[in-house]
Amino acid sequence: MKTYITIEQAISVLPDGDFVHTFYHTGFGLVGADWSRDDILDKLRSCDIIELTGTAARGMGHGICAYNKNAKYQSDILFIETDEARVSALEKELEAVEDGKDDND
């Protein structure tokens, strides 16, 4: 199940520092690069969709991904480095909110 997050939530889980590692999953492998923090913030603000990643990307320290609604290929999705402790905390917070909604329905 996909978990979509806000720009603010995405920013809150980024690692500290001036650069953030990213990768695209192309047809022939992973292509990674370091982006400046400002460039990542611009990318997050310009994307339609930001979501938590699955276990494989998260296991590599890239807990969020960003893309646009018209993304057609896996290579259109940017996987972004995160601080795992922050991602885990956000995930627990989102689950608690979801559990609360279920109790009140």
XYZ file of all heavy atoms in Angstrom:
818
model
N 0.831 -1.174 0.000
C 0.000 0.000 0.000
C 0.884 1.249 0.000
O 1.844 1.340 0.750
C -0.889 0.000 1.241
C -1.851 1.138 1.268
S -3.116 0.839 2.503
C -2.894 2.281 3.495
N 0.564 2.186 -0.842
C 1.345 3.405 -0.944
C 0.976 4.374 0.174
O -0.185 4.494 0.537
C 1.117 4.072 -2.296
C 1.641 3.232 -3.444
C 1.503 3.964 -4.755
C 2.078 3.082 -5.849
N 2.313 3.812 -7.059
N 1.997 5.044 0.678
C 1.786 6.059 1.700
C 2.281 7.382 1.155
O 3.483 7.580 0.977
C 2.542 5.706 2.998
O 2.104 4.429 3.459
C 2.291 6.754 4.068
N 1.349 8.270 0.863
C 1.677 9.577 0.329
C 1.917 10.547 1.477
O 1.246 10.467 2.509
C 0.538 10.081 -0.564
C 0.273 9.151 -1.719
C -0.803 8.265 -1.692
C 1.116 9.128 -2.816
C -1.041 7.391 -2.742
C 0.895 8.254 -3.877
C -0.180 7.391 -3.831
O -0.407 6.521 -4.874
N 2.891 11.440 1.282
C 3.216 12.404 2.323
C 3.249 13.812 1.740
O 3.321 14.000 0.528
C 4.549 12.066 3.029
C 5.725 12.093 2.045
C 4.448 10.714 3.731
C 7.085 11.923 2.703
N 3.214 14.781 2.629
C 3.248 16.182 2.221
C 4.695 16.631 1.999
O 5.640 15.967 2.440
C 2.615 17.079 3.292
O 3.443 17.037 4.463
C 1.192 16.639 3.621
N 4.833 17.781 1.391
C 6.169 18.361 1.202
C 6.820 18.593 2.566
O 8.010 18.289 2.759
C 6.079 19.668 0.399
C 5.643 19.367 -1.030
C 7.390 20.428 0.421
C 5.234 20.590 -1.830
N 6.068 19.119 3.506
C 6.606 19.382 4.832
C 7.095 18.104 5.505
O 8.154 18.078 6.147
C 5.554 20.069 5.715
C 5.179 21.465 5.267
C 4.188 21.500 4.087
O 3.589 20.443 3.740
O 4.027 22.584 3.506
N 6.327 17.035 5.368
C 6.743 15.755 5.937
C 7.999 15.242 5.247
O 8.900 14.712 5.899
C 5.615 14.731 5.824
C 4.449 15.026 6.739
C 3.219 14.204 6.423
O 2.948 13.867 5.266
N 2.439 13.876 7.455
N 8.065 15.404 3.929
C 9.250 14.969 3.183
C 10.487 15.729 3.644
O 11.544 15.135 3.880
C 9.024 15.157 1.690
N 10.357 17.019 3.788
C 11.489 17.836 4.234
C 11.937 17.416 5.634
O 13.128 17.370 5.929
C 11.124 19.332 4.178
C 10.958 19.765 2.718
C 12.169 20.185 4.883
C 10.348 21.145 2.533
N 10.982 17.047 6.468
C 11.310 16.685 7.854
C 12.143 15.410 7.959
O 12.790 15.193 8.986
C 10.035 16.548 8.683
O 9.366 15.330 8.406
N 12.131 14.555 6.943
C 12.881 13.296 7.015
C 14.190 13.326 6.235
O 14.919 12.334 6.210
C 12.017 12.090 6.565
C 10.807 11.936 7.465
C 11.616 12.182 5.101
N 14.505 14.459 5.612
C 15.774 14.568 4.897
C 16.935 14.515 5.880
O 16.809 14.958 7.024
C 15.834 15.875 4.105
C 14.880 16.010 2.928
C 14.997 17.402 2.316
C 15.137 14.939 1.883
N 18.077 14.009 5.443
C 19.232 13.993 6.334
C 19.778 15.405 6.528
O 19.512 16.299 5.720
C 20.237 13.110 5.584
C 19.870 13.277 4.146
C 18.373 13.446 4.129
N 20.532 15.593 7.580
C 21.201 16.864 7.801
C 22.328 17.009 6.782
O 22.826 16.028 6.252
C 21.765 16.922 9.224
C 20.669 16.875 10.279
O 19.553 17.350 10.002
O 20.942 16.351 11.377
N 22.712 18.228 6.516
C 23.835 18.468 5.620
C 23.436 19.239 4.385
O 22.248 19.501 4.140
N 24.437 19.608 3.607
C 24.240 20.438 2.418
C 23.889 19.641 1.173
O 23.438 20.210 0.181
C 25.493 21.269 2.146
C 25.788 22.265 3.254
O 24.823 22.709 3.920
O 26.969 22.588 3.460
N 24.130 18.314 1.197
C 23.882 17.482 0.029
C 23.030 16.283 0.403
O 23.109 15.763 1.518
C 25.203 17.012 -0.593
C 26.003 18.145 -1.154
C 26.977 18.769 -0.400
C 25.747 18.623 -2.435
C 27.708 19.832 -0.909
C 26.463 19.684 -2.951
C 27.450 20.298 -2.179
N 22.222 15.847 -0.548
C 21.325 14.708 -0.356
C 21.534 13.755 -1.519
O 21.494 14.160 -2.688
C 19.846 15.171 -0.303
C 18.914 13.986 -0.147
C 19.638 16.188 0.814
N 21.758 12.479 -1.216
C 21.960 11.492 -2.280
C 20.623 11.081 -2.882
O 19.609 10.992 -2.186
C 22.675 10.245 -1.752
C 23.118 9.357 -2.852
N 22.368 8.294 -3.281
C 24.215 9.401 -3.635
C 22.994 7.705 -4.297
N 24.122 8.362 -4.524
N 20.625 10.851 -4.168
C 19.425 10.422 -4.881
C 19.794 9.312 -5.856
O 20.970 9.105 -6.156
C 18.820 11.577 -5.706
O 19.746 11.937 -6.729
C 18.503 12.767 -4.825
N 18.778 8.624 -6.355
C 19.006 7.737 -7.490
C 17.735 7.564 -8.303
O 16.621 7.748 -7.804
C 19.589 6.377 -7.070
C 18.644 5.454 -6.329
C 17.744 4.645 -7.005
C 18.695 5.368 -4.946
C 16.895 3.786 -6.333
C 17.849 4.507 -4.250
C 16.955 3.719 -4.952
N 17.958 7.276 -9.559
C 16.904 6.859 -10.470
C 17.143 5.390 -10.772
O 18.293 4.950 -10.872
C 16.946 7.647 -11.783
C 16.428 9.058 -11.691
C 17.304 10.141 -11.650
C 15.070 9.327 -11.673
C 16.834 11.442 -11.589
C 14.586 10.631 -11.608
C 15.475 11.674 -11.570
O 15.005 12.964 -11.505
N 16.090 4.619 -10.923
C 16.193 3.204 -11.283
C 15.942 3.103 -12.789
O 14.796 3.079 -13.233
C 15.171 2.383 -10.505
C 15.324 0.914 -10.697
N 15.023 0.277 -11.869
C 15.772 -0.032 -9.857
C 15.265 -1.006 -11.755
N 15.717 -1.221 -10.534
N 17.018 3.068 -13.533
C 16.896 2.983 -14.997
C 16.780 1.528 -15.417
O 16.898 0.628 -14.599
C 18.121 3.619 -15.666
O 19.272 2.849 -15.331
C 18.322 5.054 -15.210
N 16.570 1.288 -16.672
C 16.444 -0.073 -17.171
C 17.714 -0.893 -17.020
O 17.670 -2.114 -16.977
N 18.853 -0.242 -16.911
C 20.122 -0.962 -16.830
C 20.762 -0.921 -15.441
O 21.830 -1.467 -15.234
C 21.115 -0.430 -17.868
C 21.421 1.033 -17.724
C 22.428 1.472 -16.888
C 20.693 1.980 -18.433
C 22.712 2.814 -16.749
C 20.970 3.329 -18.308
C 21.976 3.748 -17.458
N 20.120 -0.278 -14.488
C 20.655 -0.224 -13.129
C 20.299 1.080 -12.450
O 19.483 1.855 -12.946
N 20.934 1.307 -11.324
C 20.697 2.517 -10.559
C 21.696 3.595 -10.962
O 22.874 3.312 -11.130
C 20.842 2.246 -9.060
C 19.957 1.148 -8.473
C 20.245 0.990 -6.988
C 18.497 1.435 -8.711
N 21.203 4.820 -11.099
C 22.062 5.961 -11.392
C 21.897 6.948 -10.254
O 20.812 7.513 -10.063
C 21.692 6.618 -12.741
C 22.542 7.844 -12.988
C 21.833 5.621 -13.882
N 22.962 7.126 -9.483
C 22.888 7.970 -8.302
C 23.661 9.262 -8.462
O 24.577 9.359 -9.273
N 23.283 10.237 -7.659
C 23.961 11.531 -7.656
C 23.648 12.266 -6.370
O 22.597 12.063 -5.764
C 23.521 12.366 -8.851
N 24.563 13.110 -5.963
C 24.311 14.000 -4.832
C 23.707 15.286 -5.363
O 24.205 15.862 -6.322
C 25.615 14.318 -4.095
C 26.128 13.145 -3.290
O 25.310 12.309 -2.862
O 27.353 13.052 -3.085
N 22.637 15.725 -4.734
C 21.978 16.991 -5.072
C 22.197 17.963 -3.919
O 22.241 17.542 -2.751
C 20.484 16.789 -5.240
C 20.038 16.022 -6.439
C 20.630 14.944 -7.011
C 18.858 16.267 -7.193
N 19.884 14.495 -8.068
C 18.783 15.295 -8.203
C 17.839 17.201 -7.098
C 17.754 15.237 -9.123
C 16.806 17.143 -8.010
C 16.768 16.183 -9.022
N 22.278 19.233 -4.224
C 22.329 20.216 -3.145
C 20.982 20.201 -2.435
O 19.953 19.859 -3.020
C 22.626 21.610 -3.687
O 21.492 22.137 -4.340
N 20.999 20.566 -1.185
C 19.757 20.602 -0.403
C 18.732 21.518 -1.077
O 17.551 21.192 -1.158
C 20.062 21.063 1.020
C 18.877 20.993 1.939
C 19.308 21.283 3.381
N 18.343 20.726 4.295
C 18.265 19.454 4.650
N 19.102 18.582 4.173
N 17.331 19.046 5.486
N 19.176 22.677 -1.576
C 18.258 23.606 -2.247
C 17.623 22.979 -3.485
O 16.427 23.166 -3.735
C 18.973 24.901 -2.627
C 19.304 25.763 -1.418
O 18.681 25.593 -0.355
O 20.206 26.613 -1.552
N 18.408 22.221 -4.254
C 17.863 21.569 -5.445
C 16.831 20.500 -5.082
O 15.815 20.351 -5.767
C 18.972 20.963 -6.304
C 19.781 22.012 -7.051
O 19.294 23.162 -7.191
O 20.898 21.678 -7.511
N 17.092 19.762 -3.995
C 16.117 18.755 -3.547
C 14.826 19.435 -3.106
O 13.726 18.980 -3.425
C 16.694 17.887 -2.405
C 17.679 16.873 -2.963
C 15.593 17.171 -1.620
C 17.071 15.808 -3.865
N 14.951 20.537 -2.378
C 13.745 21.257 -1.942
C 12.952 21.751 -3.141
O 11.719 21.639 -3.169
C 14.127 22.409 -1.018
C 14.770 22.009 0.311
C 15.171 23.244 1.104
C 13.887 21.093 1.121
N 13.641 22.263 -4.162
C 12.958 22.689 -5.392
C 12.265 21.515 -6.067
O 11.124 21.631 -6.532
C 13.944 23.337 -6.365
C 14.435 24.696 -5.911
O 13.800 25.309 -5.017
O 15.468 25.152 -6.457
N 12.943 20.372 -6.123
C 12.364 19.177 -6.743
C 11.108 18.733 -5.987
O 10.075 18.442 -6.597
C 13.400 18.039 -6.768
C 12.891 16.739 -7.333
C 12.605 16.839 -8.801
C 12.291 15.473 -9.381
N 11.985 15.531 -10.806
N 11.175 18.699 -4.674
C 10.014 18.294 -3.876
C 8.836 19.230 -4.100
O 7.690 18.791 -4.211
C 10.374 18.225 -2.392
C 11.301 17.076 -1.986
C 11.774 17.259 -0.551
C 10.630 15.733 -2.178
N 9.113 20.517 -4.181
C 8.039 21.497 -4.389
C 7.425 21.396 -5.787
O 6.272 21.748 -5.977
C 8.574 22.905 -4.151
C 8.862 23.192 -2.691
C 9.346 24.619 -2.469
N 9.753 24.793 -1.094
C 11.017 24.980 -0.693
N 11.997 25.043 -1.582
N 11.302 25.121 0.585
N 8.199 20.910 -6.751
C 7.700 20.859 -8.126
C 7.043 19.527 -8.484
O 6.419 19.420 -9.543
C 8.844 21.141 -9.109
O 9.771 20.063 -9.125
N 7.149 18.531 -7.633
C 6.566 17.217 -7.919
C 5.116 17.148 -7.462
O 4.730 17.751 -6.476
C 7.364 16.121 -7.234
S 8.911 15.792 -8.071
N 4.341 16.368 -8.187
C 2.937 16.154 -7.841
C 2.770 15.170 -6.692
O 1.818 15.268 -5.922
C 2.169 15.593 -9.040
C 2.170 16.519 -10.235
O 2.130 17.746 -10.039
O 2.215 16.002 -11.372
N 3.683 14.192 -6.610
C 3.512 13.079 -5.678
C 4.810 12.830 -4.920
O 5.881 12.746 -5.514
C 3.097 11.794 -6.426
C 1.775 12.034 -7.170
C 2.999 10.605 -5.472
C 1.425 10.970 -8.175
N 4.687 12.687 -3.605
C 5.804 12.270 -2.755
C 5.268 11.125 -1.901
O 4.179 11.218 -1.332
C 6.298 13.407 -1.843
C 6.649 14.655 -2.663
C 7.499 12.940 -1.025
C 6.874 15.899 -1.825
N 6.032 10.052 -1.826
C 5.571 8.919 -1.032
C 6.722 8.227 -0.331
O 7.889 8.398 -0.703
C 4.794 7.925 -1.886
C 5.608 7.216 -2.935
C 4.794 6.217 -3.733
O 4.182 6.608 -4.721
O 4.794 5.035 -3.341
N 6.369 7.463 0.694
C 7.354 6.621 1.354
C 7.683 5.462 0.426
O 6.803 4.961 -0.283
C 6.816 6.093 2.685
C 6.497 7.140 3.752
C 5.957 6.454 5.010
C 7.704 7.989 4.091
N 8.931 5.039 0.435
C 9.354 3.964 -0.452
C 9.167 2.602 0.204
O 8.872 2.496 1.395
C 10.826 4.130 -0.854
O 11.637 4.083 0.327
C 11.057 5.432 -1.592
N 9.400 1.575 -0.579
C 9.321 0.205 -0.086
C 10.599 -0.222 0.604
O 11.544 0.558 0.770
N 10.641 -1.479 0.973
C 11.751 -1.988 1.784
C 13.092 -1.949 1.058
O 14.120 -1.707 1.692
C 11.464 -3.420 2.262
O 11.176 -4.242 1.143
C 10.302 -3.443 3.231
N 13.123 -2.186 -0.242
C 14.405 -2.207 -0.965
C 15.064 -0.826 -0.964
O 16.221 -0.684 -0.566
C 14.207 -2.703 -2.390
N 14.350 0.190 -1.386
C 14.916 1.541 -1.423
C 15.194 2.043 -0.012
O 16.234 2.671 0.240
C 13.975 2.493 -2.147
N 14.308 1.740 0.881
C 14.492 2.187 2.263
C 15.700 1.508 2.895
O 16.437 2.111 3.671
C 13.232 1.887 3.056
C 13.091 2.813 4.210
C 11.670 2.902 4.647
N 11.635 3.124 6.072
C 10.559 3.089 6.795
N 9.409 2.798 6.245
N 10.622 3.320 8.081
N 15.926 0.264 2.532
C 17.100 -0.456 3.017
C 18.400 0.158 2.528
O 19.455 -0.032 3.139
N 18.330 0.906 1.439
C 19.498 1.610 0.907
C 19.554 3.046 1.404
O 20.348 3.845 0.926
C 19.489 1.582 -0.623
C 19.645 0.185 -1.187
S 19.812 0.155 -2.985
C 18.225 0.771 -3.510
N 18.678 3.388 2.357
C 18.704 4.716 2.947
C 17.957 5.776 2.170
O 18.139 6.963 2.399
N 17.076 5.357 1.261
C 16.295 6.284 0.437
C 14.816 6.035 0.722
O 14.156 5.258 0.044
C 16.635 6.092 -1.040
C 18.041 6.478 -1.372
N 19.127 5.789 -0.905
C 18.527 7.498 -2.117
C 20.232 6.368 -1.352
N 19.893 7.411 -2.085
N 14.310 6.710 1.760
C 12.989 6.415 2.289
C 11.831 7.154 1.655
O 10.678 6.908 1.993
N 12.115 8.090 0.739
C 11.034 8.766 0.024
C 11.356 8.799 -1.464
O 12.518 8.687 -1.880
C 10.765 10.205 0.534
C 11.989 11.098 0.374
C 10.253 10.181 1.961
C 11.749 12.572 0.703
N 10.308 8.954 -2.247
C 10.485 9.155 -3.679
C 9.521 10.249 -4.136
O 8.519 10.522 -3.468
C 10.281 7.870 -4.460
S 8.631 7.164 -4.357
N 9.878 10.872 -5.253
C 9.078 11.978 -5.775
C 8.939 11.822 -7.285
O 9.891 11.432 -7.962
C 9.751 13.305 -5.441
N 7.731 12.138 -7.779
C 7.479 12.044 -9.215
C 6.221 12.823 -9.556
O 5.516 13.310 -8.670
C 7.357 10.586 -9.657
C 6.335 9.765 -8.915
C 5.068 9.562 -9.442
C 6.627 9.190 -7.678
C 4.129 8.803 -8.763
C 5.689 8.427 -6.995
C 4.443 8.239 -7.541
O 3.509 7.494 -6.875
N 5.955 12.935 -10.829
C 4.763 13.645 -11.294
C 3.685 12.658 -11.727
O 3.970 11.503 -12.031
C 5.112 14.587 -12.442
C 5.912 15.769 -11.953
O 5.604 16.365 -10.927
N 6.973 16.114 -12.671
N 2.450 13.124 -11.772
C 1.312 12.275 -12.137
C 1.486 11.612 -13.492
O 0.985 10.521 -13.719
C 0.023 13.099 -12.147
C -0.400 13.579 -10.793
C -1.623 14.462 -10.886
C -1.924 15.104 -9.556
N -2.982 16.092 -9.641
N 2.197 12.260 -14.391
C 2.368 11.710 -15.734
C 3.567 10.772 -15.848
O 3.926 10.369 -16.954
C 2.474 12.837 -16.763
C 3.688 13.717 -16.545
O 4.374 13.627 -15.538
N 3.944 14.603 -17.497
N 4.174 10.381 -14.731
C 5.307 9.454 -14.762
C 4.850 8.140 -15.389
O 3.831 7.572 -14.995
C 5.844 9.225 -13.368
N 5.612 7.698 -16.352
C 5.241 6.490 -17.086
C 6.172 5.315 -16.768
O 5.767 4.176 -16.808
C 5.266 6.789 -18.581
C 4.743 5.701 -19.448
C 4.654 6.146 -20.893
C 4.107 5.049 -21.772
N 4.034 5.445 -23.165
N 7.414 5.634 -16.444
C 8.421 4.595 -16.238
C 9.022 4.702 -14.842
O 9.010 5.765 -14.221
C 9.542 4.731 -17.276
C 9.041 4.659 -18.684
C 8.967 5.809 -19.463
C 8.634 3.447 -19.240
C 8.496 5.749 -20.775
C 8.161 3.383 -20.538
C 8.089 4.533 -21.303
O 7.620 4.471 -22.583
N 9.566 3.601 -14.371
C 10.279 3.588 -13.091
C 11.385 4.646 -13.101
O 11.638 5.280 -12.080
C 10.868 2.192 -12.858
C 11.619 2.033 -11.564
C 10.736 1.767 -10.378
O 9.579 1.392 -10.525
N 11.269 1.957 -9.196
N 11.996 4.862 -14.235
C 13.094 5.827 -14.331
C 12.626 7.277 -14.181
O 13.452 8.186 -14.114
C 13.844 5.651 -15.651
O 12.974 5.845 -16.747
N 11.321 7.514 -14.115
C 10.778 8.858 -13.885
C 10.677 9.189 -12.392
O 10.323 10.305 -12.026
C 9.374 8.986 -14.496
C 9.373 8.883 -16.003
O 10.374 9.273 -16.636
O 8.360 8.414 -16.554
N 10.973 8.215 -11.544
C 10.816 8.377 -10.095
C 12.178 8.649 -9.464
O 13.126 7.880 -9.643
C 10.192 7.109 -9.475
C 8.833 6.830 -10.116
C 10.081 7.253 -7.964
C 8.246 5.479 -9.756
N 12.278 9.737 -8.709
C 13.508 10.076 -8.010
C 13.433 9.548 -6.580
O 12.526 9.913 -5.826
C 13.722 11.587 -7.990
C 14.999 12.059 -7.293
C 16.239 11.589 -8.075
C 15.002 13.566 -7.141
N 14.364 8.691 -6.225
C 14.465 8.157 -4.873
C 15.431 9.047 -4.097
O 16.522 9.355 -4.572
C 14.946 6.705 -4.902
C 13.929 5.777 -5.488
C 13.828 5.604 -6.863
C 13.051 5.087 -4.669
C 12.874 4.754 -7.414
C 12.094 4.238 -5.215
C 12.007 4.073 -6.588
N 15.034 9.453 -2.903
C 15.747 10.485 -2.160
C 16.202 9.956 -0.802
O 15.413 9.355 -0.055
C 14.828 11.716 -1.977
C 14.373 12.232 -3.356
C 15.529 12.807 -1.180
C 13.253 13.249 -3.303
N 17.467 10.224 -0.485
C 18.049 9.825 0.790
C 17.289 10.442 1.961
O 16.855 11.595 1.889
C 19.511 10.288 0.838
C 20.225 9.980 2.122
C 21.612 10.579 2.173
O 21.943 11.472 1.367
O 22.381 10.139 3.052
N 17.160 9.659 3.019
C 16.451 10.119 4.214
C 17.189 9.674 5.467
O 18.081 8.825 5.412
C 15.026 9.547 4.250
O 15.093 8.118 4.108
C 14.154 10.132 3.160
N 16.779 10.217 6.568
C 17.241 9.784 7.884
C 16.244 8.722 8.356
O 15.069 9.026 8.572
C 17.266 10.992 8.829
C 17.698 10.634 10.227
O 16.973 9.850 10.895
O 18.744 11.148 10.653
N 16.690 7.494 8.500
C 15.784 6.375 8.786
C 15.030 6.551 10.102
O 13.854 6.204 10.189
C 16.533 5.042 8.791
C 15.655 3.840 9.076
C 14.462 3.678 8.147
O 14.541 4.049 6.956
O 13.407 3.178 8.604
N 15.681 7.094 11.110
C 14.985 7.313 12.387
C 13.815 8.275 12.197
O 12.733 8.072 12.757
C 15.953 7.842 13.441
N 14.015 9.296 11.384
C 12.943 10.265 11.124
C 11.826 9.638 10.298
O 10.649 9.915 10.527
C 13.512 11.489 10.420
C 14.462 12.288 11.285
C 15.080 13.425 10.511
N 16.144 14.054 11.278
C 17.022 14.879 10.776
N 16.996 15.214 9.499
N 17.964 15.396 11.546
N 12.195 8.799 9.331
C 11.179 8.131 8.511
C 10.350 7.186 9.378
O 9.124 7.157 9.279
C 11.819 7.367 7.321
C 10.766 6.557 6.574
C 12.519 8.321 6.374
N 11.009 6.439 10.236
C 10.288 5.521 11.140
C 9.334 6.274 12.045
O 8.201 5.838 12.257
C 11.280 4.718 11.982
O 12.017 3.845 11.166
N 9.794 7.401 12.573
C 8.932 8.210 13.447
C 7.727 8.749 12.675
O 6.600 8.722 13.177
C 9.732 9.357 14.053
N 7.960 9.215 11.449
C 6.858 9.710 10.622
C 5.884 8.587 10.310
O 4.662 8.773 10.393
C 7.389 10.330 9.327
C 6.331 10.756 8.308
C 5.405 11.823 8.884
C 7.001 11.242 7.020
N 6.397 7.433 9.973
C 5.541 6.289 9.657
C 4.656 5.920 10.851
O 3.461 5.675 10.695
C 6.422 5.109 9.246
C 5.694 3.981 8.586
C 6.661 2.975 8.011
O 7.613 2.572 8.710
O 6.455 2.593 6.853
N 5.231 5.921 12.043
C 4.452 5.621 13.248
C 3.387 6.685 13.487
O 2.258 6.378 13.851
C 5.374 5.502 14.456
C 6.179 4.232 14.454
C 7.124 4.156 15.623
C 7.987 2.909 15.492
N 9.074 2.879 16.452
N 3.749 7.934 13.244
C 2.783 9.033 13.402
C 1.626 8.882 12.416
O 0.462 9.037 12.785
C 3.521 10.355 13.157
C 2.686 11.587 13.279
C 3.502 12.835 12.965
O 4.643 12.940 13.448
O 2.988 13.694 12.210
N 1.943 8.545 11.175
C 0.902 8.367 10.156
C 0.009 7.173 10.486
O -1.202 7.234 10.288
C 1.535 8.194 8.774
C 2.268 9.412 8.218
C 3.031 9.046 6.948
C 1.323 10.561 7.972
N 0.608 6.101 10.995
C -0.172 4.929 11.380
C -1.106 5.257 12.543
O -2.243 4.812 12.577
C 0.753 3.766 11.750
C 1.444 3.147 10.559
C 2.514 2.128 10.935
O 2.745 1.902 12.156
O 3.136 1.576 10.020
N -0.616 6.047 13.490
C -1.448 6.432 14.639
C -2.640 7.269 14.190
O -3.757 7.078 14.675
C -0.611 7.201 15.661
N -2.402 8.167 13.256
C -3.488 8.989 12.711
C -4.491 8.094 11.994
O -5.694 8.225 12.177
C -2.940 10.083 11.765
C -4.064 10.738 10.991
C -2.141 11.111 12.546
N -3.985 7.169 11.211
C -4.863 6.253 10.470
C -5.661 5.376 11.432
O -6.848 5.164 11.238
C -4.054 5.384 9.508
C -4.887 4.505 8.610
C -5.804 5.278 7.671
O -5.457 6.391 7.264
O -6.884 4.746 7.336
N -5.012 4.880 12.482
C -5.714 4.066 13.476
C -6.802 4.880 14.168
O -7.893 4.379 14.429
C -4.738 3.515 14.514
C -3.847 2.419 13.954
O -4.164 1.884 12.873
O -2.822 2.104 14.588
N -6.510 6.135 14.439
C -7.493 7.009 15.057
C -8.688 7.233 14.171
O -9.831 7.283 14.625
N -8.445 7.351 12.864
C -9.548 7.525 11.923
C -10.415 6.278 11.889
O -11.629 6.353 11.850
C -9.009 7.806 10.511
C -8.485 9.188 10.334
C -8.028 9.384 8.909
C -7.437 10.751 8.702
N -6.903 10.913 7.345
N -9.755 5.103 11.917
C -10.519 3.867 11.876
C -11.389 3.712 13.110
O -12.500 3.198 13.039
C -9.568 2.657 11.770
C -8.893 2.583 10.415
O -9.376 3.243 9.465
O -7.893 1.862 10.305
N -10.899 4.153 14.282
C -11.660 4.016 15.515
C -12.898 4.923 15.509
O -13.905 4.603 16.128
C -10.792 4.382 16.717
C -9.697 3.355 16.959
O -9.819 2.241 16.404
O -8.728 3.668 17.661
N -12.816 6.032 14.820
C -13.920 6.993 14.823
C -14.907 6.788 13.673
O -15.899 7.479 13.624
C -13.368 8.420 14.771
C -12.575 8.763 16.007
O -12.893 8.293 17.088
N -11.548 9.562 15.853
N -14.616 5.884 12.792
C -15.505 5.654 11.652
C -16.699 4.822 12.018
O -16.778 4.103 12.906
C -14.755 4.970 10.503
C -13.777 5.928 9.824
O -13.916 7.149 10.038
O -12.907 5.454 9.100
